Structures are given as C-alpha cells and as structure tokens.
Amino acid sequence: MLLVIDVGNTNITLGVFDGEELKGTFRMTTRQNRTSDEYGILMCNMLEYRGISKDAVKDAIISSVVPDVMHSLASGVIKYFNTYPLHVGPGCKTGIRVTSVNPKEIGADRIVDAVAAYELYGGPVLVLDFGTATTYDLITEDGCFVAGITSPGIEISAKALWQDAAKLPKIAIEKPASILAKETITSMQAGLVYGYIGQVEYIIRKVKEESGIENLKVVATGGLGKIIADETDMIDVYDTQLTLTGLRIIFEKTKKSRG
C-alpha cells in the first residue's frame, strides 16, 4: 500500500491507497512542535483504527507547504513505516510543465492538484483549491501550468470579520436561508458565502475571458469548497480527494521513470 501525505497550513491530510483504491483518509492539525515519534504513533494509530496494518504500507509520498514540520514528519514515516518517503519537488515526474515566470514559487500542493485534475479530467482545466488560501490554477490542453491566482480563503475572511470587528461574533460558515438577513449572524453568513460565490464566479469568467479558452473545465477541491460548488453552475466537478489522488499519480509516474 501507498501512504500519501499532504501538509497544508491548517491540516495534514493522509490517505492510504491499495493500487488505485483509496482505502482511508485521515486528518491532523498542522503543528510544528511534534516529534518524529508523535507523528509516527499518530499515523499508525489512525491506520490501525481503520483496520489498516502499518506493515501493509510499503511506500510513501509527501507534499508540503510547511517546511518546518518536514524533518519530524519524514523521520516519523521512516521510523514507523520503514520506508523513505518521496518528496514532491525537483526530480518528481508530474506530466505538467510550469511555464510561469518563477516556477519554483509554485507550491507543491498546487502542482499536485494540477496533476490530478489534468490526468482525471483533461485539459484545458482550471483547478480551484479551497484551503487556507483559495487558489485558481490554469492548465492548458497540452499540460502547461500557465497562470495562478491566490485569494484569502473563506475561513481567513471569516476570521477577519470577528477578530477585527469588536462587536461581531464568531460564526459557523454556512449559507443562510436567504441573503436578506435580519440579524447579525445570518448577515455575516450571507456576506461571507454569497460574497465568496460572487468572487469565484467573477474570477472564473475573467480567466475564460483573458485566456480566450471558452471550453475550460473547472474542477474544485478543498474543505469548504463544497459550500461554494453547490451554489454555482460554473464549477463542473467537485472532487474531495483530488490532492490525494494527485500524490498517487506523481508517485506512480516517478517510480515508473526510475524503473
């Protein structure tokens, strides 16, 4: 089995693949003060809880946008799963060519999502990832990563409201029954969710307009993205496992290239 690990700014998401079948997914908060033993034991316990033996894991791959956790996390994988993880970065085979001005600035998570969207749904494709930040990445028909847009995530926007406005409370991020809110909480929810839907639709329209690509498929992933995807017909596919699948694909491509 293959252990795939995506380290984001807020959460670390893990998955275990048996071939192309995803056997289980797991999440833990991204904290920088865990030891390798803590990571190893946590991961083993999560797998065992789902009936997956740690001894069944023969390979691993990690994508990370948080460098400070990598030493302990990778060491935990080596010590507890007896395998050296592949790190998404230079030397990995992706099938995607980054043609932006500074290719090294593109986060590993964005490359992983691009690989999965292009392999599963074809190009041209616009990949949306609703994470700590919301990203929009344009992949052409021939597999070139040509442009990316980054905006504050939904949760960041929500926190700005209740942290910077003294009288506004912390709220659940959900769509209210009507945009015509009549009290504070639904007023905030309406502004957040409907405002974010508007942002997403406008950015998609502008990408299509400026790229000249009208047959652009739009694929979305990431935690709170379903709230948005359910409310607009401009998102064609919402795939909760896009990043984990991308990690599997990159591992397989790289392993094949190395014989």
Side-chain angles (χ1 to χ4, degrees), residues 2-6 58-64 70 73-74 77-78 83-94 112 246-258:
L2 171 67
L3 175 66
V4 299
I5 305 172
D6 175 54
K58 302 302 181 184
D59 296 291
I61 181 171
I62 302 175
S63 165
S64 175
M70 285 300 291
L73 178 60
V77 172
I78 294 167
T83 186
Y84 284 82
L86 175 68
H87 297 254
V88 175
C92 285
K93 296 297 180 182
T94 65
V112 171
L247 284 167
R248 175 184 61 77
I249 292 169
I250 291 173
F251 179 84
E252 290 171 353
K253 284 180 177 290
T254 303
K255 185 177 180 180
K256 184 177 180 181
S257 72
R258 294 176 180 178

mmCIF file of all heavy atoms in Angstrom, residues 2-6 58-64 70 73-74 77-78 83-94 112 246-258:
data_model
loop_
_atom_site.group_PDB
_atom_site.id
_atom_site.type_symbol
_atom_site.label_atom_id
_atom_site.label_comp_id
_atom_site.label_asym_id
_atom_site.label_seq_id
_atom_site.Cartn_x
_atom_site.Cartn_y
_atom_site.Cartn_z
ATOM 1 N N LEU A 2 0.277 2.343 -0.467
ATOM 2 C CA LEU A 2 0.971 3.624 -0.565
ATOM 3 C C LEU A 2 0.354 4.617 0.406
ATOM 4 O O LEU A 2 -0.857 4.837 0.399
ATOM 5 C CB LEU A 2 0.864 4.159 -2.001
ATOM 6 C CG LEU A 2 1.366 5.595 -2.226
ATOM 7 C CD1 LEU A 2 2.881 5.676 -2.035
ATOM 8 C CD2 LEU A 2 0.978 6.078 -3.630
ATOM 9 N N LEU A 3 1.202 5.216 1.259
ATOM 10 C CA LEU A 3 0.775 6.274 2.172
ATOM 11 C C LEU A 3 1.049 7.620 1.517
ATOM 12 O O LEU A 3 2.191 7.903 1.132
ATOM 13 C CB LEU A 3 1.540 6.170 3.495
ATOM 14 C CG LEU A 3 1.311 7.285 4.537
ATOM 15 C CD1 LEU A 3 -0.129 7.256 5.048
ATOM 16 C CD2 LEU A 3 2.301 7.126 5.694
ATOM 17 N N VAL A 4 0.002 8.433 1.348
ATOM 18 C CA VAL A 4 0.165 9.761 0.751
ATOM 19 C C VAL A 4 -0.139 10.805 1.828
ATOM 20 O O VAL A 4 -1.093 10.668 2.590
ATOM 21 C CB VAL A 4 -0.740 9.955 -0.485
ATOM 22 C CG1 VAL A 4 -0.383 8.936 -1.555
ATOM 23 C CG2 VAL A 4 -2.217 9.862 -0.140
ATOM 24 N N ILE A 5 0.690 11.860 1.884
ATOM 25 C CA ILE A 5 0.575 12.861 2.938
ATOM 26 C C ILE A 5 0.651 14.249 2.322
ATOM 27 O O ILE A 5 1.622 14.580 1.635
ATOM 28 C CB ILE A 5 1.694 12.706 3.986
ATOM 29 C CG1 ILE A 5 1.717 11.285 4.555
ATOM 30 C CG2 ILE A 5 1.527 13.729 5.107
ATOM 31 C CD1 ILE A 5 2.911 11.001 5.462
ATOM 32 N N ASP A 6 -0.370 15.054 2.577
ATOM 33 C CA ASP A 6 -0.398 16.443 2.106
ATOM 34 C C ASP A 6 -0.359 17.366 3.320
ATOM 35 O O ASP A 6 -1.294 17.381 4.122
ATOM 36 C CB ASP A 6 -1.662 16.705 1.280
ATOM 37 C CG ASP A 6 -1.786 18.169 0.890
ATOM 38 O OD1 ASP A 6 -0.824 18.698 0.311
ATOM 39 O OD2 ASP A 6 -2.844 18.770 1.167
ATOM 40 N N LYS A 58 4.089 0.068 2.117
ATOM 41 C CA LYS A 58 5.422 -0.201 1.584
ATOM 42 C C LYS A 58 6.087 1.049 1.006
ATOM 43 O O LYS A 58 7.307 1.081 0.844
ATOM 44 C CB LYS A 58 5.345 -1.267 0.484
ATOM 45 C CG LYS A 58 4.734 -2.588 0.953
ATOM 46 C CD LYS A 58 5.507 -3.193 2.114
ATOM 47 C CE LYS A 58 4.908 -4.528 2.560
ATOM 48 N NZ LYS A 58 5.581 -5.074 3.750
ATOM 49 N N ASP A 59 5.280 2.064 0.677
ATOM 50 C CA ASP A 59 5.831 3.284 0.073
ATOM 51 C C ASP A 59 5.090 4.489 0.628
ATOM 52 O O ASP A 59 3.976 4.365 1.166
ATOM 53 C CB ASP A 59 5.676 3.251 -1.454
ATOM 54 C CG ASP A 59 6.475 2.133 -2.092
ATOM 55 O OD1 ASP A 59 7.717 2.212 -2.073
ATOM 56 O OD2 ASP A 59 5.851 1.185 -2.599
ATOM 57 N N ALA A 60 5.696 5.676 0.462
ATOM 58 C CA ALA A 60 5.071 6.905 0.938
ATOM 59 C C ALA A 60 5.515 8.084 0.080
ATOM 60 O O ALA A 60 6.613 8.071 -0.494
ATOM 61 C CB ALA A 60 5.426 7.160 2.402
ATOM 62 N N ILE A 61 4.661 9.101 0.011
ATOM 63 C CA ILE A 61 4.976 10.338 -0.697
ATOM 64 C C ILE A 61 4.408 11.496 0.103
ATOM 65 O O ILE A 61 3.311 11.396 0.664
ATOM 66 C CB ILE A 61 4.426 10.323 -2.147
ATOM 67 C CG1 ILE A 61 4.798 11.630 -2.871
ATOM 68 C CG2 ILE A 61 2.933 10.055 -2.195
ATOM 69 C CD1 ILE A 61 4.482 11.591 -4.375
ATOM 70 N N ILE A 62 5.169 12.595 0.174
ATOM 71 C CA ILE A 62 4.763 13.761 0.954
ATOM 72 C C ILE A 62 4.814 15.013 0.079
ATOM 73 O O ILE A 62 5.793 15.255 -0.630
ATOM 74 C CB ILE A 62 5.679 13.981 2.180
ATOM 75 C CG1 ILE A 62 5.701 12.757 3.093
ATOM 76 C CG2 ILE A 62 5.239 15.218 2.964
ATOM 77 C CD1 ILE A 62 6.686 12.879 4.259
ATOM 78 N N SER A 63 3.753 15.806 0.166
ATOM 79 C CA SER A 63 3.720 17.155 -0.412
ATOM 80 C C SER A 63 3.544 18.123 0.742
ATOM 81 O O SER A 63 2.691 17.917 1.607
ATOM 82 C CB SER A 63 2.550 17.277 -1.394
ATOM 83 O OG SER A 63 2.286 18.634 -1.687
ATOM 84 N N SER A 64 4.346 19.200 0.785
ATOM 85 C CA SER A 64 4.275 20.105 1.927
ATOM 86 C C SER A 64 4.472 21.560 1.522
ATOM 87 O O SER A 64 5.299 21.873 0.665
ATOM 88 C CB SER A 64 5.334 19.730 2.969
ATOM 89 O OG SER A 64 5.354 20.655 4.037
ATOM 90 N N MET A 70 8.688 19.218 8.211
ATOM 91 C CA MET A 70 9.095 18.128 7.332
ATOM 92 C C MET A 70 10.093 17.165 7.970
ATOM 93 O O MET A 70 10.012 15.952 7.763
ATOM 94 C CB MET A 70 9.650 18.690 6.028
ATOM 95 C CG MET A 70 8.557 19.214 5.093
ATOM 96 S SD MET A 70 7.397 17.903 4.664
ATOM 97 C CE MET A 70 8.433 16.871 3.646
ATOM 98 N N LEU A 73 8.209 14.908 10.506
ATOM 99 C CA LEU A 73 7.201 14.092 9.825
ATOM 100 C C LEU A 73 7.849 13.000 8.985
ATOM 101 O O LEU A 73 7.468 11.823 9.066
ATOM 102 C CB LEU A 73 6.315 14.977 8.953
ATOM 103 C CG LEU A 73 5.231 14.268 8.131
ATOM 104 C CD1 LEU A 73 4.263 13.515 9.036
ATOM 105 C CD2 LEU A 73 4.475 15.280 7.271
ATOM 106 N N ALA A 74 8.835 13.379 8.180
ATOM 107 C CA ALA A 74 9.511 12.388 7.334
ATOM 108 C C ALA A 74 10.226 11.352 8.195
ATOM 109 O O ALA A 74 10.214 10.149 7.882
ATOM 110 C CB ALA A 74 10.493 13.083 6.393
ATOM 111 N N VAL A 77 7.773 8.798 9.395
ATOM 112 C CA VAL A 77 7.441 7.817 8.359
ATOM 113 C C VAL A 77 8.546 6.763 8.250
ATOM 114 O O VAL A 77 8.284 5.553 8.190
ATOM 115 C CB VAL A 77 7.234 8.518 6.991
ATOM 116 C CG1 VAL A 77 7.090 7.481 5.874
ATOM 117 C CG2 VAL A 77 6.013 9.423 7.037
ATOM 118 N N ILE A 78 9.796 7.216 8.266
ATOM 119 C CA ILE A 78 10.927 6.289 8.134
ATOM 120 C C ILE A 78 10.978 5.320 9.314
ATOM 121 O O ILE A 78 11.129 4.098 9.145
ATOM 122 C CB ILE A 78 12.256 7.083 8.029
ATOM 123 C CG1 ILE A 78 12.287 7.895 6.726
ATOM 124 C CG2 ILE A 78 13.447 6.124 8.083
ATOM 125 C CD1 ILE A 78 13.393 8.935 6.678
ATOM 126 N N THR A 83 10.079 3.002 5.512
ATOM 127 C CA THR A 83 10.201 3.390 4.111
ATOM 128 C C THR A 83 10.600 4.853 4.028
ATOM 129 O O THR A 83 10.208 5.657 4.888
ATOM 130 C CB THR A 83 8.883 3.147 3.340
ATOM 131 O OG1 THR A 83 9.090 3.415 1.944
ATOM 132 C CG2 THR A 83 7.763 4.049 3.846
ATOM 133 N N TYR A 84 11.403 5.182 3.037
ATOM 134 C CA TYR A 84 11.822 6.564 2.843
ATOM 135 C C TYR A 84 10.828 7.259 1.902
ATOM 136 O O TYR A 84 10.676 6.832 0.755
ATOM 137 C CB TYR A 84 13.231 6.624 2.247
ATOM 138 C CG TYR A 84 14.317 6.317 3.264
ATOM 139 C CD1 TYR A 84 14.637 4.993 3.586
ATOM 140 C CD2 TYR A 84 14.986 7.346 3.910
ATOM 141 C CE1 TYR A 84 15.613 4.705 4.532
ATOM 142 C CE2 TYR A 84 15.976 7.070 4.856
ATOM 143 C CZ TYR A 84 16.276 5.746 5.162
ATOM 144 O OH TYR A 84 17.233 5.474 6.100
ATOM 145 N N PRO A 85 10.137 8.287 2.384
ATOM 146 C CA PRO A 85 9.103 8.921 1.547
ATOM 147 C C PRO A 85 9.683 9.732 0.399
ATOM 148 O O PRO A 85 10.738 10.358 0.538
ATOM 149 C CB PRO A 85 8.368 9.825 2.542
ATOM 150 C CG PRO A 85 9.391 10.155 3.584
ATOM 151 C CD PRO A 85 10.240 8.928 3.712
ATOM 152 N N LEU A 86 8.981 9.706 -0.713
ATOM 153 C CA LEU A 86 9.289 10.587 -1.831
ATOM 154 C C LEU A 86 8.734 11.971 -1.518
ATOM 155 O O LEU A 86 7.611 12.098 -1.036
ATOM 156 C CB LEU A 86 8.645 10.036 -3.107
ATOM 157 C CG LEU A 86 8.756 10.889 -4.372
ATOM 158 C CD1 LEU A 86 10.199 10.957 -4.848
ATOM 159 C CD2 LEU A 86 7.868 10.308 -5.479
ATOM 160 N N HIS A 87 9.516 13.016 -1.762
ATOM 161 C CA HIS A 87 9.072 14.383 -1.524
ATOM 162 C C HIS A 87 8.724 15.025 -2.863
ATOM 163 O O HIS A 87 9.533 14.978 -3.801
ATOM 164 C CB HIS A 87 10.158 15.204 -0.834
ATOM 165 C CG HIS A 87 10.526 14.702 0.528
ATOM 166 N ND1 HIS A 87 10.150 15.335 1.689
ATOM 167 C CD2 HIS A 87 11.219 13.596 0.921
ATOM 168 C CE1 HIS A 87 10.604 14.671 2.734
ATOM 169 N NE2 HIS A 87 11.253 13.606 2.284
ATOM 170 N N VAL A 88 7.544 15.624 -2.957
ATOM 171 C CA VAL A 88 7.145 16.286 -4.199
ATOM 172 C C VAL A 88 8.025 17.517 -4.391
ATOM 173 O O VAL A 88 8.071 18.413 -3.539
ATOM 174 C CB VAL A 88 5.663 16.691 -4.168
ATOM 175 C CG1 VAL A 88 5.308 17.490 -5.422
ATOM 176 C CG2 VAL A 88 4.783 15.453 -4.051
ATOM 177 N N GLY A 89 8.740 17.541 -5.502
ATOM 178 C CA GLY A 89 9.664 18.630 -5.778
ATOM 179 C C GLY A 89 10.519 18.275 -6.974
ATOM 180 O O GLY A 89 10.143 17.398 -7.773
ATOM 181 N N PRO A 90 11.661 18.927 -7.121
ATOM 182 C CA PRO A 90 12.555 18.620 -8.241
ATOM 183 C C PRO A 90 12.892 17.142 -8.302
ATOM 184 O O PRO A 90 13.168 16.512 -7.275
ATOM 185 C CB PRO A 90 13.808 19.465 -7.924
ATOM 186 C CG PRO A 90 13.300 20.597 -7.087
ATOM 187 C CD PRO A 90 12.188 20.008 -6.261
ATOM 188 N N GLY A 91 12.835 16.587 -9.492
ATOM 189 C CA GLY A 91 13.124 15.164 -9.671
ATOM 190 C C GLY A 91 11.891 14.300 -9.781
ATOM 191 O O GLY A 91 11.971 13.161 -10.239
ATOM 192 N N CYS A 92 10.742 14.843 -9.348
ATOM 193 C CA CYS A 92 9.480 14.101 -9.482
ATOM 194 C C CYS A 92 8.927 14.255 -10.891
ATOM 195 O O CYS A 92 9.032 15.325 -11.497
ATOM 196 C CB CYS A 92 8.443 14.616 -8.485
ATOM 197 S SG CYS A 92 8.734 14.083 -6.794
ATOM 198 N N LYS A 93 8.331 13.211 -11.398
ATOM 199 C CA LYS A 93 7.675 13.252 -12.698
ATOM 200 C C LYS A 93 6.199 13.600 -12.491
ATOM 201 O O LYS A 93 5.496 12.902 -11.751
ATOM 202 C CB LYS A 93 7.800 11.905 -13.412
ATOM 203 C CG LYS A 93 9.225 11.527 -13.743
ATOM 204 C CD LYS A 93 9.864 12.510 -14.714
ATOM 205 C CE LYS A 93 11.300 12.112 -15.041
ATOM 206 N NZ LYS A 93 11.950 13.089 -15.958
ATOM 207 N N THR A 94 5.753 14.665 -13.139
ATOM 208 C CA THR A 94 4.378 15.115 -12.936
ATOM 209 C C THR A 94 3.532 15.101 -14.198
ATOM 210 O O THR A 94 2.311 15.015 -14.118
ATOM 211 C CB THR A 94 4.369 16.555 -12.378
ATOM 212 O OG1 THR A 94 4.916 17.439 -13.366
ATOM 213 C CG2 THR A 94 5.174 16.652 -11.092
ATOM 214 N N VAL A 112 0.393 19.304 -7.330
ATOM 215 C CA VAL A 112 -0.295 18.026 -7.103
ATOM 216 C C VAL A 112 -1.740 18.094 -7.599
ATOM 217 O O VAL A 112 -2.224 17.181 -8.284
ATOM 218 C CB VAL A 112 -0.243 17.645 -5.612
ATOM 219 C CG1 VAL A 112 -1.141 16.444 -5.338
ATOM 220 C CG2 VAL A 112 1.186 17.339 -5.184
ATOM 221 N N GLY A 246 -3.706 13.052 -6.734
ATOM 222 C CA GLY A 246 -2.545 13.637 -7.406
ATOM 223 C C GLY A 246 -1.232 13.106 -6.853
ATOM 224 O O GLY A 246 -0.280 12.839 -7.599
ATOM 225 N N LEU A 247 -1.171 12.930 -5.544
ATOM 226 C CA LEU A 247 0.031 12.367 -4.934
ATOM 227 C C LEU A 247 0.279 10.945 -5.423
ATOM 228 O O LEU A 247 1.418 10.552 -5.720
ATOM 229 C CB LEU A 247 -0.097 12.398 -3.412
ATOM 230 C CG LEU A 247 0.099 13.773 -2.758
ATOM 231 C CD1 LEU A 247 -0.369 13.753 -1.307
ATOM 232 C CD2 LEU A 247 1.556 14.205 -2.831
ATOM 233 N N ARG A 248 -0.787 10.159 -5.506
ATOM 234 C CA ARG A 248 -0.640 8.786 -6.012
ATOM 235 C C ARG A 248 -0.124 8.786 -7.447
ATOM 236 O O ARG A 248 0.789 8.016 -7.794
ATOM 237 C CB ARG A 248 -1.978 8.043 -5.946
ATOM 238 C CG ARG A 248 -1.918 6.640 -6.567
ATOM 239 C CD ARG A 248 -3.262 5.956 -6.577
ATOM 240 N NE ARG A 248 -4.269 6.649 -7.351
ATOM 241 C CZ ARG A 248 -4.347 6.628 -8.691
ATOM 242 N NH1 ARG A 248 -3.457 5.951 -9.408
ATOM 243 N NH2 ARG A 248 -5.313 7.277 -9.310
ATOM 244 N N ILE A 249 -0.685 9.655 -8.274
ATOM 245 C CA ILE A 249 -0.285 9.713 -9.683
ATOM 246 C C ILE A 249 1.185 10.112 -9.818
ATOM 247 O O ILE A 249 1.935 9.524 -10.608
ATOM 248 C CB ILE A 249 -1.193 10.690 -10.457
ATOM 249 C CG1 ILE A 249 -2.617 10.127 -10.545
ATOM 250 C CG2 ILE A 249 -0.642 10.960 -11.850
ATOM 251 C CD1 ILE A 249 -3.647 11.115 -11.061
ATOM 252 N N ILE A 250 1.613 11.113 -9.041
ATOM 253 C CA ILE A 250 3.010 11.549 -9.095
ATOM 254 C C ILE A 250 3.941 10.432 -8.633
ATOM 255 O O ILE A 250 4.998 10.202 -9.233
ATOM 256 C CB ILE A 250 3.219 12.823 -8.253
ATOM 257 C CG1 ILE A 250 2.508 14.010 -8.916
ATOM 258 C CG2 ILE A 250 4.708 13.132 -8.070
ATOM 259 C CD1 ILE A 250 2.498 15.284 -8.085
ATOM 260 N N PHE A 251 3.560 9.728 -7.580
ATOM 261 C CA PHE A 251 4.382 8.623 -7.109
ATOM 262 C C PHE A 251 4.536 7.572 -8.207
ATOM 263 O O PHE A 251 5.644 7.087 -8.470
ATOM 264 C CB PHE A 251 3.784 7.988 -5.855
ATOM 265 C CG PHE A 251 4.591 6.827 -5.337
ATOM 266 C CD1 PHE A 251 5.694 7.034 -4.515
ATOM 267 C CD2 PHE A 251 4.283 5.510 -5.699
ATOM 268 C CE1 PHE A 251 6.452 5.974 -4.058
ATOM 269 C CE2 PHE A 251 5.033 4.446 -5.257
ATOM 270 C CZ PHE A 251 6.133 4.673 -4.431
ATOM 271 N N GLU A 252 3.427 7.216 -8.838
ATOM 272 C CA GLU A 252 3.467 6.175 -9.872
ATOM 273 C C GLU A 252 4.296 6.613 -11.077
ATOM 274 O O GLU A 252 5.069 5.818 -11.629
ATOM 275 C CB GLU A 252 2.042 5.812 -10.290
ATOM 276 C CG GLU A 252 1.279 5.070 -9.194
ATOM 277 C CD GLU A 252 -0.200 4.904 -9.512
ATOM 278 O OE1 GLU A 252 -0.663 5.482 -10.521
ATOM 279 O OE2 GLU A 252 -0.903 4.199 -8.747
ATOM 280 N N LYS A 253 4.138 7.871 -11.500
ATOM 281 C CA LYS A 253 4.915 8.380 -12.635
ATOM 282 C C LYS A 253 6.403 8.394 -12.317
ATOM 283 O O LYS A 253 7.250 8.017 -13.154
ATOM 284 C CB LYS A 253 4.459 9.811 -12.984
ATOM 285 C CG LYS A 253 3.139 9.894 -13.732
ATOM 286 C CD LYS A 253 2.799 11.354 -14.013
ATOM 287 C CE LYS A 253 1.527 11.492 -14.825
ATOM 288 N NZ LYS A 253 1.708 11.027 -16.233
ATOM 289 N N THR A 254 6.742 8.829 -11.097
ATOM 290 C CA THR A 254 8.153 8.918 -10.717
ATOM 291 C C THR A 254 8.768 7.530 -10.578
ATOM 292 O O THR A 254 9.889 7.285 -11.025
ATOM 293 C CB THR A 254 8.294 9.693 -9.393
ATOM 294 O OG1 THR A 254 7.695 10.984 -9.537
ATOM 295 C CG2 THR A 254 9.752 9.867 -8.999
ATOM 296 N N LYS A 255 8.038 6.610 -9.958
ATOM 297 C CA LYS A 255 8.528 5.245 -9.792
ATOM 298 C C LYS A 255 8.767 4.581 -11.153
ATOM 299 O O LYS A 255 9.783 3.909 -11.369
ATOM 300 C CB LYS A 255 7.513 4.431 -8.983
ATOM 301 C CG LYS A 255 7.977 3.013 -8.657
ATOM 302 C CD LYS A 255 6.949 2.296 -7.803
ATOM 303 C CE LYS A 255 7.412 0.863 -7.476
ATOM 304 N NZ LYS A 255 6.392 0.170 -6.632
ATOM 305 N N LYS A 256 7.828 4.816 -12.073
ATOM 306 C CA LYS A 256 7.971 4.233 -13.422
ATOM 307 C C LYS A 256 9.186 4.799 -14.143
ATOM 308 O O LYS A 256 9.911 4.077 -14.816
ATOM 309 C CB LYS A 256 6.684 4.506 -14.229
ATOM 310 C CG LYS A 256 6.678 3.866 -15.602
ATOM 311 C CD LYS A 256 5.361 4.124 -16.303
ATOM 312 C CE LYS A 256 5.347 3.471 -17.691
ATOM 313 N NZ LYS A 256 4.064 3.738 -18.390
ATOM 314 N N SER A 257 9.426 6.117 -13.980
ATOM 315 C CA SER A 257 10.542 6.754 -14.670
ATOM 316 C C SER A 257 11.887 6.278 -14.132
ATOM 317 O O SER A 257 12.896 6.315 -14.827
ATOM 318 C CB SER A 257 10.460 8.280 -14.526
ATOM 319 O OG SER A 257 10.778 8.687 -13.201
ATOM 320 N N ARG A 258 11.889 5.822 -12.873
ATOM 321 C CA ARG A 258 13.140 5.348 -12.256
ATOM 322 C C ARG A 258 13.337 3.845 -12.417
ATOM 323 O O ARG A 258 14.312 3.279 -11.928
ATOM 324 C CB ARG A 258 13.138 5.709 -10.760
ATOM 325 C CG ARG A 258 13.174 7.217 -10.523
ATOM 326 C CD ARG A 258 13.085 7.551 -9.042
ATOM 327 N NE ARG A 258 13.125 8.993 -8.827
ATOM 328 C CZ ARG A 258 13.029 9.581 -7.638
ATOM 329 N NH1 ARG A 258 12.880 8.819 -6.545
ATOM 330 N NH2 ARG A 258 13.070 10.889 -7.517
#
